[in-house]
Amino acid sequence: QQQVKQSPQSLIVQKGGISIINCAYENTAFDYFPWYQQFPGKGPALLIAIRPDVSEKKEGRFTISFNKSAKQFSLHIMDSQPGDSATYFCAASISTSGSRLTFGEGTQLTVNP
Amino acid sequence: DADVTQTPRNRITKTGKRIMLECSQTKGHDRMYWYRQDPGLGLQLIYYSFDVKDINKGEISDGYSVSRQAQAKFSLSLESAIPNQTALYFCATSDPGTSGSRDTQYFGPGTRLTVL
């Protein structure tokens, strides 16, 4: 049972465009929502994360939007660049369970020059 | 990634063979994890360990076992490998320290395992 569902599975965007990846979760006990970025041949690395006490978090060109009532959160990449081409994973965890993360299925982003 | 190393990086084995994947870390973290990555399925947790004496099953532990030899070393074993265990395997670590760093997992470069 996939507790965190991610879409789309793949995404192609032109350079300078906006990339949007969506995730939905089921467990209302989740209280930490990170996004991980993975380049080919590498392990995933933390990109940006949000806690449910805020609706948006921005770091440079990357923004997480969080909708607690809808149990959804999304990653927006503004002014997408070819160097952003990677696989992106959303995840969720519960504070009382330590650092256990439940990951979404992943989105392969390609930014064309 | 250099703080978390995995060996081997690639391995081809045959059905029924026992195989061990090793993970070492120099980050000084107590918590270590083993994940499996399959296309379209994301990362699935196999086992995790919050300290040397603590081992816990994850979502997909059947067919796998682990050993936490020291704070810095966490090994994953496939007792009798089967073709559907062909996947990319990742080790990760985390630090239950300050709230700012809590929950951040640091991944190794992965081991690509093929079971024929």
Side-chain angles (χ1 to χ4, degrees), chain A residues 2 9 32 36 38 41-44 46 51 89 93 95 97-101 103-106, chain B residues 1 9 31 33 35 37 40-43 45 48 50 90 94 99 102-105 107-109:
Chain A
Q2 193 77 26
Q9 187 173 8
Y32 177 71
Y36 280 76
Q38 182 184 27
K42 303 289 187 181
L46 179 67
R51 298 189 188 275
F89 294 97
S93 70
S95 299
S97 71
S99 305
R100 287 193 58 178
L101 290 172
F103 283 89
E105 300 93 331
Chain B
D1 279 1
R9 293 296 312 277
R31 297 180 176 182
Y33 311 80
Y35 289 93
Q37 183 177 3
L41 294 179
L43 292 147
L45 183 63
Y48 62 103
F50 282 178
F90 287 101
S94 71
S99 60
R102 186 169 60 88
D103 297 309
T104 299
Q105 293 191 13
F107 285 79

Side-chain angles (χ1 to χ4, degrees), chain A residues 36-91:
Chain A
Y36 280 76
Q37 180 187 53
Q38 182 184 27
F39 293 106
K42 303 289 187 181
L46 179 67
L47 178 65
I48 186 172
I50 195 168
R51 298 189 188 275
D53 53 343
V54 296
S55 61
E56 184 175 283
K57 182 173 183 180
K58 183 175 181 179
E59 290 183 2
R61 297 183 293 108
F62 300 89
T63 300
I64 300 178
S65 296
F66 183 79
N67 186 329
K68 188 174 182 178
S69 61
K71 294 187 290 185
Q72 295 175 347
F73 58 110
S74 59
L75 177 69
H76 296 237
I77 306 174
M78 309 300 288
D79 187 26
S80 298
Q81 300 296 313
D84 296 330
S85 296
T87 300
Y88 292 82
F89 294 97
C90 63

Side-chain angles (χ1 to χ4, degrees), chain B residues 51-114:
Chain B
D51 65 43
V52 175
K53 297 180 180 180
D54 176 76
I55 302 289
N56 304 280
K57 292 183 177 180
E59 306 163 35
I60 55 164
S61 59
D62 287 348
Y64 302 95
S65 63
V66 291
S67 173
R68 185 80 183 266
Q69 300 94 327
Q71 185 203 38
K73 296 184 180 297
F74 193 34
S75 300
L76 176 71
S77 294
L78 285 66
E79 298 302 326
S80 179
I82 56 177
N84 76 1
Q85 290 177 315
T86 293
L88 193 54
Y89 290 85
F90 287 101
C91 173
T93 74
S94 71
D95 176 11
T98 61
S99 60
S101 63
R102 186 169 60 88
D103 297 309
T104 299
Q105 293 191 13
Y106 299 87
F107 285 79
T111 294
R112 184 168 296 280
L113 176 65
T114 302

